[in-house]
PDB file of all heavy atoms in Angstrom:
ATOM      1  N   ASP H  20     139.593 108.572  91.275  1.00 75.00           N
ATOM      2  CA  ASP H  20     139.032 108.799  92.612  1.00 75.00           C
ATOM      3  C   ASP H  20     140.133 108.723  93.650  1.00 75.00           C
ATOM      4  O   ASP H  20     140.980 107.833  93.626  1.00 75.00           O
ATOM      5  CB  ASP H  20     137.949 107.766  92.943  1.00 75.00           C
ATOM      6  CG  ASP H  20     136.687 107.956  92.126  1.00 75.00           C
ATOM      7  OD1 ASP H  20     136.603 108.966  91.394  1.00 75.00           O
ATOM      8  OD2 ASP H  20     135.788 107.094  92.209  1.00 75.00           O
ATOM      9  N   GLY H  21     140.137 109.643  94.569  1.00 76.00           N
ATOM     10  CA  GLY H  21     141.142 109.648  95.624  1.00 76.00           C
ATOM     11  C   GLY H  21     142.427 110.373  95.247  1.00 76.00           C
ATOM     12  O   GLY H  21     143.277 110.598  96.101  1.00 76.00           O
ATOM     13  N   VAL H  22     142.588 110.720  93.979  1.00 76.00           N
ATOM     14  CA  VAL H  22     143.774 111.472  93.559  1.00 76.00           C
ATOM     15  C   VAL H  22     143.385 112.946  93.536  1.00 76.00           C
ATOM     16  O   VAL H  22     142.450 113.330  92.827  1.00 76.00           O
ATOM     17  CB  VAL H  22     144.253 111.035  92.151  1.00 76.00           C
ATOM     18  CG1 VAL H  22     145.440 111.866  91.712  1.00 76.00           C
ATOM     19  CG2 VAL H  22     144.584 109.561  92.138  1.00 76.00           C
ATOM     20  N   PRO H  23     144.067 113.776  94.320  1.00 80.00           N
ATOM     21  CA  PRO H  23     143.712 115.198  94.352  1.00 80.00           C
ATOM     22  C   PRO H  23     143.769 115.824  92.952  1.00 80.00           C
ATOM     23  O   PRO H  23     144.622 115.469  92.138  1.00 80.00           O
ATOM     24  CB  PRO H  23     144.779 115.817  95.256  1.00 80.00           C
ATOM     25  CG  PRO H  23     145.309 114.679  96.065  1.00 80.00           C
ATOM     26  CD  PRO H  23     145.187 113.460  95.201  1.00 80.00           C
ATOM     27  N   GLU H  24     142.851 116.737  92.701  1.00 79.00           N
ATOM     28  CA  GLU H  24     142.775 117.381  91.386  1.00 79.00           C
ATOM     29  C   GLU H  24     144.096 118.067  91.027  1.00 79.00           C
ATOM     30  O   GLU H  24     144.519 118.053  89.879  1.00 79.00           O
ATOM     31  CB  GLU H  24     141.634 118.392  91.355  1.00 79.00           C
ATOM     32  CG  GLU H  24     141.344 118.904  89.954  1.00 79.00           C
ATOM     33  CD  GLU H  24     140.061 119.683  89.879  1.00 79.00           C
ATOM     34  OE1 GLU H  24     139.189 119.514  90.744  1.00 79.00           O
ATOM     35  OE2 GLU H  24     139.937 120.463  88.916  1.00 79.00           O
ATOM     36  N   ARG H  25     144.760 118.618  92.007  1.00 83.00           N
ATOM     37  CA  ARG H  25     146.051 119.278  91.779  1.00 83.00           C
ATOM     38  C   ARG H  25     147.066 118.293  91.205  1.00 83.00           C
ATOM     39  O   ARG H  25     147.792 118.601  90.262  1.00 83.00           O
ATOM     40  CB  ARG H  25     146.572 119.868  93.093  1.00 83.00           C
ATOM     41  CG  ARG H  25     147.944 120.499  93.008  1.00 83.00           C
ATOM     42  CD  ARG H  25     148.471 120.889  94.389  1.00 83.00           C
ATOM     43  NE  ARG H  25     148.500 119.817  95.361  1.00 83.00           N
ATOM     44  CZ  ARG H  25     149.416 118.839  95.396  1.00 83.00           C
ATOM     45  NH1 ARG H  25     150.377 118.805  94.522  1.00 83.00           N
ATOM     46  NH2 ARG H  25     149.366 117.911  96.315  1.00 83.00           N
ATOM     47  N   VAL H  26     147.085 117.082  91.720  1.00 79.00           N
ATOM     48  CA  VAL H  26     148.013 116.052  91.236  1.00 79.00           C
ATOM     49  C   VAL H  26     147.638 115.625  89.827  1.00 79.00           C
ATOM     50  O   VAL H  26     148.500 115.492  88.952  1.00 79.00           O
ATOM     51  CB  VAL H  26     148.031 114.837  92.198  1.00 79.00           C
ATOM     52  CG1 VAL H  26     148.854 113.700  91.623  1.00 79.00           C
ATOM     53  CG2 VAL H  26     148.552 115.257  93.567  1.00 79.00           C
ATOM     54  N   ARG H  27     146.350 115.429  89.571  1.00 75.00           N
ATOM     55  CA  ARG H  27     145.891 115.063  88.224  1.00 75.00           C
ATOM     56  C   ARG H  27     146.303 116.131  87.216  1.00 75.00           C
ATOM     57  O   ARG H  27     146.796 115.830  86.129  1.00 75.00           O
ATOM     58  CB  ARG H  27     144.374 114.886  88.185  1.00 75.00           C
ATOM     59  CG  ARG H  27     143.898 113.652  88.899  1.00 75.00           C
ATOM     60  CD  ARG H  27     142.427 113.493  88.713  1.00 75.00           C
ATOM     61  NE  ARG H  27     141.722 114.620  89.340  1.00 75.00           N
ATOM     62  CZ  ARG H  27     140.544 114.526  89.923  1.00 75.00           C
ATOM     63  NH1 ARG H  27     139.899 113.401  89.953  1.00 75.00           N
ATOM     64  NH2 ARG H  27     139.987 115.576  90.469  1.00 75.00           N
ATOM     65  N   ASP H  28     146.097 117.395  87.584  1.00 78.00           N
ATOM     66  CA  ASP H  28     146.452 118.496  86.683  1.00 78.00           C
ATOM     67  C   ASP H  28     147.955 118.542  86.423  1.00 78.00           C
ATOM     68  O   ASP H  28     148.388 118.806  85.306  1.00 78.00           O
ATOM     69  CB  ASP H  28     145.974 119.832  87.241  1.00 78.00           C
ATOM     70  CG  ASP H  28     144.460 119.973  87.198  1.00 78.00           C
ATOM     71  OD1 ASP H  28     143.800 119.190  86.470  1.00 78.00           O
ATOM     72  OD2 ASP H  28     143.928 120.857  87.897  1.00 78.00           O
ATOM     73  N   GLU H  29     148.759 118.286  87.446  1.00 80.00           N
ATOM     74  CA  GLU H  29     150.218 118.276  87.279  1.00 80.00           C
ATOM     75  C   GLU H  29     150.654 117.181  86.312  1.00 80.00           C
ATOM     76  O   GLU H  29     151.510 117.398  85.462  1.00 80.00           O
ATOM     77  CB  GLU H  29     150.908 118.080  88.630  1.00 80.00           C
ATOM     78  CG  GLU H  29     150.892 119.307  89.513  1.00 80.00           C
ATOM     79  CD  GLU H  29     151.477 119.032  90.896  1.00 80.00           C
ATOM     80  OE1 GLU H  29     152.114 117.969  91.102  1.00 80.00           O
ATOM     81  OE2 GLU H  29     151.289 119.886  91.777  1.00 80.00           O
ATOM     82  N   VAL H  30     150.070 116.002  86.452  1.00 75.00           N
ATOM     83  CA  VAL H  30     150.422 114.879  85.578  1.00 75.00           C
ATOM     84  C   VAL H  30     150.088 115.220  84.132  1.00 75.00           C
ATOM     85  O   VAL H  30     150.902 115.029  83.223  1.00 75.00           O
ATOM     86  CB  VAL H  30     149.670 113.594  86.022  1.00 75.00           C
ATOM     87  CG1 VAL H  30     149.762 112.508  84.972  1.00 75.00           C
ATOM     88  CG2 VAL H  30     150.211 113.109  87.358  1.00 75.00           C
ATOM     89  N   ARG H  31     148.903 115.741  83.910  1.00 76.00           N
ATOM     90  CA  ARG H  31     148.492 116.111  82.543  1.00 76.00           C
ATOM     91  C   ARG H  31     149.343 117.246  81.995  1.00 76.00           C
ATOM     92  O   ARG H  31     149.719 117.243  80.829  1.00 76.00           O
ATOM     93  CB  ARG H  31     147.014 116.481  82.530  1.00 76.00           C
ATOM     94  CG  ARG H  31     146.124 115.282  82.794  1.00 76.00           C
ATOM     95  CD  ARG H  31     144.659 115.664  82.826  1.00 76.00           C
ATOM     96  NE  ARG H  31     143.846 114.491  83.064  1.00 76.00           N
ATOM     97  CZ  ARG H  31     142.914 114.406  84.000  1.00 76.00           C
ATOM     98  NH1 ARG H  31     142.662 115.431  84.777  1.00 76.00           N
ATOM     99  NH2 ARG H  31     142.216 113.302  84.150  1.00 76.00           N
ATOM    100  N   HIS H  32     149.641 118.226  82.839  1.00 80.00           N
ATOM    101  CA  HIS H  32     150.432 119.380  82.409  1.00 80.00           C
ATOM    102  C   HIS H  32     151.842 118.962  81.993  1.00 80.00           C
ATOM    103  O   HIS H  32     152.373 119.472  81.004  1.00 80.00           O
ATOM    104  CB  HIS H  32     150.492 120.431  83.518  1.00 80.00           C
ATOM    105  CG  HIS H  32     151.300 121.630  83.148  1.00 80.00           C
ATOM    106  ND1 HIS H  32     150.860 122.577  82.255  1.00 80.00           N
ATOM    107  CD2 HIS H  32     152.542 122.016  83.528  1.00 80.00           C
ATOM    108  CE1 HIS H  32     151.792 123.504  82.103  1.00 80.00           C
ATOM    109  NE2 HIS H  32     152.814 123.189  82.862  1.00 80.00           N
ATOM    110  N   ARG H  33     152.436 118.019  82.710  1.00 80.00           N
ATOM    111  CA  ARG H  33     153.791 117.551  82.359  1.00 80.00           C
ATOM    112  C   ARG H  33     153.821 116.974  80.947  1.00 80.00           C
ATOM    113  O   ARG H  33     154.737 117.236  80.176  1.00 80.00           O
ATOM    114  CB  ARG H  33     154.282 116.507  83.365  1.00 80.00           C
ATOM    115  CG  ARG H  33     154.891 117.113  84.601  1.00 80.00           C
ATOM    116  CD  ARG H  33     155.679 116.076  85.383  1.00 80.00           C
ATOM    117  NE  ARG H  33     154.876 114.928  85.781  1.00 80.00           N
ATOM    118  CZ  ARG H  33     154.315 114.780  86.977  1.00 80.00           C
ATOM    119  NH1 ARG H  33     154.477 115.694  87.901  1.00 80.00           N
ATOM    120  NH2 ARG H  33     153.616 113.707  87.256  1.00 80.00           N
ATOM    121  N   PHE H  34     152.788 116.190  80.601  1.00 79.00           N
ATOM    122  CA  PHE H  34     152.738 115.628  79.256  1.00 79.00           C
ATOM    123  C   PHE H  34     152.589 116.735  78.224  1.00 79.00           C
ATOM    124  O   PHE H  34     153.322 116.786  77.238  1.00 79.00           O
ATOM    125  CB  PHE H  34     151.600 114.625  79.099  1.00 79.00           C
ATOM    126  CG  PHE H  34     151.340 114.267  77.663  1.00 79.00           C
ATOM    127  CD1 PHE H  34     152.203 113.436  76.979  1.00 79.00           C
ATOM    128  CD2 PHE H  34     150.261 114.816  76.980  1.00 79.00           C
ATOM    129  CE1 PHE H  34     151.996 113.127  75.637  1.00 79.00           C
ATOM    130  CE2 PHE H  34     150.042 114.506  75.644  1.00 79.00           C
ATOM    131  CZ  PHE H  34     150.918 113.664  74.980  1.00 79.00           C
ATOM    132  N   VAL H  35     151.626 117.610  78.426  1.00 80.00           N
ATOM    133  CA  VAL H  35     151.368 118.684  77.459  1.00 80.00           C
ATOM    134  C   VAL H  35     152.611 119.547  77.284  1.00 80.00           C
ATOM    135  O   VAL H  35     152.984 119.894  76.163  1.00 80.00           O
ATOM    136  CB  VAL H  35     150.149 119.532  77.896  1.00 80.00           C
ATOM    137  CG1 VAL H  35     150.005 120.771  77.038  1.00 80.00           C
ATOM    138  CG2 VAL H  35     148.875 118.699  77.838  1.00 80.00           C
ATOM    139  N   GLU H  36     153.266 119.868  78.366  1.00 83.00           N
ATOM    140  CA  GLU H  36     154.486 120.690  78.302  1.00 83.00           C
ATOM    141  C   GLU H  36     155.591 119.975  77.530  1.00 83.00           C
ATOM    142  O   GLU H  36     156.240 120.549  76.662  1.00 83.00           O
ATOM    143  CB  GLU H  36     154.951 121.017  79.718  1.00 83.00           C
ATOM    144  CG  GLU H  36     156.040 122.047  79.787  1.00 83.00           C
ATOM    145  CD  GLU H  36     156.352 122.392  81.230  1.00 83.00           C
ATOM    146  OE1 GLU H  36     157.147 121.652  81.863  1.00 83.00           O
ATOM    147  OE2 GLU H  36     155.797 123.390  81.717  1.00 83.00           O
ATOM    148  N   ALA H  37     155.789 118.708  77.819  1.00 81.00           N
ATOM    149  CA  ALA H  37     156.863 117.941  77.172  1.00 81.00           C
ATOM    150  C   ALA H  37     156.618 117.782  75.681  1.00 81.00           C
ATOM    151  O   ALA H  37     157.540 117.948  74.873  1.00 81.00           O
ATOM    152  CB  ALA H  37     157.007 116.571  77.829  1.00 81.00           C
ATOM    153  N   ILE H  38     155.406 117.487  75.304  1.00 82.00           N
ATOM    154  CA  ILE H  38     155.139 117.188  73.901  1.00 82.00           C
ATOM    155  C   ILE H  38     154.879 118.450  73.080  1.00 82.00           C
ATOM    156  O   ILE H  38     155.146 118.484  71.878  1.00 82.00           O
ATOM    157  CB  ILE H  38     153.988 116.159  73.766  1.00 82.00           C
ATOM    158  CG1 ILE H  38     154.020 115.513  72.393  1.00 82.00           C
ATOM    159  CG2 ILE H  38     152.664 116.779  74.052  1.00 82.00           C
ATOM    160  CD1 ILE H  38     155.261 114.745  72.086  1.00 82.00           C
ATOM    161  N   SER H  39     154.391 119.501  73.707  1.00 81.00           N
ATOM    162  CA  SER H  39     154.134 120.741  72.975  1.00 81.00           C
ATOM    163  C   SER H  39     155.417 121.339  72.420  1.00 81.00           C
ATOM    164  O   SER H  39     155.427 121.924  71.341  1.00 81.00           O
ATOM    165  CB  SER H  39     153.419 121.758  73.864  1.00 81.00           C
ATOM    166  OG  SER H  39     152.125 121.295  74.163  1.00 81.00           O
ATOM    167  N   ALA H  40     156.499 121.180  73.143  1.00 84.00           N
ATOM    168  CA  ALA H  40     157.786 121.720  72.691  1.00 84.00           C
ATOM    169  C   ALA H  40     158.238 121.083  71.387  1.00 84.00           C
ATOM    170  O   ALA H  40     158.931 121.714  70.592  1.00 84.00           O
ATOM    171  CB  ALA H  40     158.834 121.515  73.778  1.00 84.00           C
ATOM    172  N   SER H  41     157.819 119.861  71.132  1.00 87.00           N
ATOM    173  CA  SER H  41     158.244 119.163  69.918  1.00 87.00           C
ATOM    174  C   SER H  41     157.472 119.627  68.680  1.00 87.00           C
ATOM    175  O   SER H  41     157.902 119.374  67.563  1.00 87.00           O
ATOM    176  CB  SER H  41     158.058 117.652  70.077  1.00 87.00           C
ATOM    177  OG  SER H  41     156.688 117.313  69.962  1.00 87.00           O
ATOM    178  N   GLY H  42     156.322 120.264  68.890  1.00 89.00           N
ATOM    179  CA  GLY H  42     155.505 120.706  67.766  1.00 89.00           C
ATOM    180  C   GLY H  42     154.699 119.590  67.127  1.00 89.00           C
ATOM    181  O   GLY H  42     154.072 119.795  66.091  1.00 89.00           O
ATOM    182  N   GLU H  43     154.693 118.408  67.726  1.00 91.00           N
ATOM    183  CA  GLU H  43     153.998 117.266  67.133  1.00 91.00           C
ATOM    184  C   GLU H  43     152.501 117.236  67.429  1.00 91.00           C
ATOM    185  O   GLU H  43     151.748 116.576  66.730  1.00 91.00           O
ATOM    186  CB  GLU H  43     154.649 115.962  67.605  1.00 91.00           C
ATOM    187  CG  GLU H  43     156.057 115.790  67.061  1.00 91.00           C
ATOM    188  CD  GLU H  43     156.806 114.657  67.708  1.00 91.00           C
ATOM    189  OE1 GLU H  43     156.975 114.681  68.951  1.00 91.00           O
ATOM    190  OE2 GLU H  43     157.230 113.741  66.978  1.00 91.00           O
ATOM    191  N   VAL H  44     152.073 117.940  68.479  1.00 89.00           N
ATOM    192  CA  VAL H  44     150.654 117.947  68.822  1.00 89.00           C
ATOM    193  C   VAL H  44     149.935 118.997  67.984  1.00 89.00           C
ATOM    194  O   VAL H  44     150.281 120.171  68.008  1.00 89.00           O
ATOM    195  CB  VAL H  44     150.428 118.224  70.323  1.00 89.00           C
ATOM    196  CG1 VAL H  44     148.948 118.392  70.626  1.00 89.00           C
ATOM    197  CG2 VAL H  44     150.995 117.111  71.163  1.00 89.00           C
ATOM    198  N   LEU H  45     148.944 118.561  67.223  1.00 90.00           N
ATOM    199  CA  LEU H  45     148.174 119.476  66.379  1.00 90.00           C
ATOM    200  C   LEU H  45     146.892 119.933  67.067  1.00 90.00           C
ATOM    201  O   LEU H  45     146.334 120.963  66.729  1.00 90.00           O
ATOM    202  CB  LEU H  45     147.824 118.799  65.055  1.00 90.00           C
ATOM    203  CG  LEU H  45     149.012 118.330  64.215  1.00 90.00           C
ATOM    204  CD1 LEU H  45     148.520 117.664  62.939  1.00 90.00           C
ATOM    205  CD2 LEU H  45     149.938 119.486  63.901  1.00 90.00           C
ATOM    206  N   GLY H  46     146.408 119.139  68.019  1.00 89.00           N
ATOM    207  CA  GLY H  46     145.187 119.504  68.723  1.00 89.00           C
ATOM    208  C   GLY H  46     144.839 118.486  69.782  1.00 89.00           C
ATOM    209  O   GLY H  46     145.412 117.400  69.824  1.00 89.00           O
ATOM    210  N   ARG H  47     143.915 118.869  70.652  1.00 87.00           N
ATOM    211  CA  ARG H  47     143.437 117.939  71.669  1.00 87.00           C
ATOM    212  C   ARG H  47     141.982 118.238  71.970  1.00 87.00           C
ATOM    213  O   ARG H  47     141.502 119.352  71.770  1.00 87.00           O
ATOM    214  CB  ARG H  47     144.287 117.992  72.922  1.00 87.00           C
ATOM    215  CG  ARG H  47     144.101 119.226  73.744  1.00 87.00           C
ATOM    216  CD  ARG H  47     144.957 119.189  74.984  1.00 87.00           C
ATOM    217  NE  ARG H  47     144.714 120.393  75.766  1.00 87.00           N
ATOM    218  CZ  ARG H  47     144.842 120.465  77.059  1.00 87.00           C
ATOM    219  NH1 ARG H  47     145.214 119.418  77.751  1.00 87.00           N
ATOM    220  NH2 ARG H  47     144.597 121.583  77.689  1.00 87.00           N
ATOM    221  N   VAL H  48     141.292 117.216  72.440  1.00 89.00           N
ATOM    222  CA  VAL H  48     139.880 117.324  72.776  1.00 89.00           C
ATOM    223  C   VAL H  48     139.668 116.640  74.122  1.00 89.00           C
ATOM    224  O   VAL H  48     140.157 115.524  74.338  1.00 89.00           O
ATOM    225  CB  VAL H  48     139.005 116.614  71.703  1.00 89.00           C
ATOM    226  CG1 VAL H  48     137.548 116.577  72.124  1.00 89.00           C
ATOM    227  CG2 VAL H  48     139.169 117.291  70.365  1.00 89.00           C
ATOM    228  N   VAL H  49     138.963 117.316  75.017  1.00 86.00           N
ATOM    229  CA  VAL H  49     138.568 116.714  76.285  1.00 86.00           C
ATOM    230  C   VAL H  49     137.051 116.585  76.236  1.00 86.00           C
ATOM    231  O   VAL H  49     136.351 117.568  75.998  1.00 86.00           O
ATOM    232  CB  VAL H  49     138.992 117.598  77.483  1.00 86.00           C
ATOM    233  CG1 VAL H  49     138.502 116.996  78.787  1.00 86.00           C
ATOM    234  CG2 VAL H  49     140.501 117.793  77.503  1.00 86.00           C
ATOM    235  N   LEU H  50     136.553 115.368  76.435  1.00 88.00           N
ATOM    236  CA  LEU H  50     135.115 115.107  76.337  1.00 88.00           C
ATOM    237  C   LEU H  50     134.439 115.209  77.699  1.00 88.00           C
ATOM    238  O   LEU H  50     135.052 114.921  78.732  1.00 88.00           O
ATOM    239  CB  LEU H  50     134.875 113.707  75.769  1.00 88.00           C
ATOM    240  CG  LEU H  50     135.432 113.466  74.367  1.00 88.00           C
ATOM    241  CD1 LEU H  50     135.243 112.009  73.976  1.00 88.00           C
ATOM    242  CD2 LEU H  50     134.769 114.383  73.359  1.00 88.00           C
ATOM    243  N   GLY H  51     133.161 115.589  77.686  1.00 85.00           N
ATOM    244  CA  GLY H  51     132.362 115.603  78.897  1.00 85.00           C
ATOM    245  C   GLY H  51     132.044 114.183  79.338  1.00 85.00           C
ATOM    246  O   GLY H  51     132.327 113.213  78.630  1.00 85.00           O
ATOM    247  N   ASP H  52     131.446 114.053  80.486  1.00 80.00           N
ATOM    248  CA  ASP H  52     131.116 112.753  81.051  1.00 80.00           C
ATOM    249  C   ASP H  52     130.248 111.945  80.084  1.00 80.00           C
ATOM    250  O   ASP H  52     129.328 112.475  79.470  1.00 80.00           O
ATOM    251  CB  ASP H  52     130.384 112.947  82.376  1.00 80.00           C
ATOM    252  CG  ASP H  52     130.231 111.651  83.129  1.00 80.00           C
ATOM    253  OD1 ASP H  52     129.212 110.959  82.905  1.00 80.00           O
ATOM    254  OD2 ASP H  52     131.136 111.307  83.912  1.00 80.00           O
ATOM    255  N   PHE H  53     130.555 110.659  79.975  1.00 79.00           N
ATOM    256  CA  PHE H  53     129.842 109.790  79.032  1.00 79.00           C
ATOM    257  C   PHE H  53     128.349 109.738  79.324  1.00 79.00           C
ATOM    258  O   PHE H  53     127.544 109.490  78.433  1.00 79.00           O
ATOM    259  CB  PHE H  53     130.430 108.378  79.032  1.00 79.00           C
ATOM    260  CG  PHE H  53     130.101 107.589  80.272  1.00 79.00           C
ATOM    261  CD1 PHE H  53     128.979 106.778  80.313  1.00 79.00           C
ATOM    262  CD2 PHE H  53     130.905 107.672  81.399  1.00 79.00           C
ATOM    263  CE1 PHE H  53     128.668 106.055  81.453  1.00 79.00           C
ATOM    264  CE2 PHE H  53     130.599 106.950  82.538  1.00 79.00           C
ATOM    265  CZ  PHE H  53     129.482 106.144  82.566  1.00 79.00           C
ATOM    266  N   SER H  54     127.952 109.983  80.561  1.00 79.00           N
ATOM    267  CA  SER H  54     126.529 109.913  80.906  1.00 79.00           C
ATOM    268  C   SER H  54     125.715 111.012  80.216  1.00 79.00           C
ATOM    269  O   SER H  54     124.499 110.934  80.155  1.00 79.00           O
ATOM    270  CB  SER H  54     126.346 109.995  82.426  1.00 79.00           C
ATOM    271  OG  SER H  54     126.780 111.260  82.903  1.00 79.00           O
ATOM    272  N   HIS H  55     126.394 112.020  79.690  1.00 84.00           N
ATOM    273  CA  HIS H  55     125.712 113.094  78.968  1.00 84.00           C
ATOM    274  C   HIS H  55     125.677 112.835  77.464  1.00 84.00           C
ATOM    275  O   HIS H  55     125.156 113.644  76.708  1.00 84.00           O
ATOM    276  CB  HIS H  55     126.381 114.444  79.243  1.00 84.00           C
ATOM    277  CG  HIS H  55     126.355 114.817  80.687  1.00 84.00           C
ATOM    278  ND1 HIS H  55     125.222 115.240  81.326  1.00 84.00           N
ATOM    279  CD2 HIS H  55     127.337 114.805  81.615  1.00 84.00           C
ATOM    280  CE1 HIS H  55     125.497 115.478  82.594  1.00 84.00           C
ATOM    281  NE2 HIS H  55     126.773 115.222  82.801  1.00 84.00           N
ATOM    282  N   GLY H  56     126.248 111.711  77.033  1.00 84.00           N
ATOM    283  CA  GLY H  56     126.273 111.373  75.616  1.00 84.00           C
ATOM    284  C   GLY H  56     124.963 110.755  75.155  1.00 84.00           C
ATOM    285  O   GLY H  56     124.114 110.360  75.961  1.00 84.00           O
ATOM    286  N   ALA H  57     124.788 110.695  73.865  1.00 85.00           N
ATOM    287  CA  ALA H  57     123.596 110.081  73.281  1.00 85.00           C
ATOM    288  C   ALA H  57     123.980 109.440  71.961  1.00 85.00           C
ATOM    289  O   ALA H  57     124.978 109.808  71.344  1.00 85.00           O
ATOM    290  CB  ALA H  57     122.508 111.130  73.051  1.00 85.00           C
TER     291      ALA H  57
END
């Protein structure tokens, strides 16, 4: 909360970019809000 979406996306993108080059990431999953879980 309070962190602009653009900044959040940049932070996540830096990690994905850095680690993707190594070939070590086989996959990723982003989950929906926990309130929609059962």
Side-chain angles (χ1 to χ4, degrees):
D20 290 353
V22 177
E24 190 169 338
R25 176 188 55 77
V26 173
R27 289 185 296 214
D28 290 344
E29 285 175 13
V30 167
R31 292 178 179 129
H32 179 73
R33 276 195 302 263
F34 167 74
V35 171
E36 190 175 84
I38 199 62
S39 293
S41 75
E43 293 169 301
V44 173
L45 301 179
R47 72 179 181 152
V48 173
V49 177
L50 299 175
D52 190 271
F53 73 92
S54 64
H55 299 286

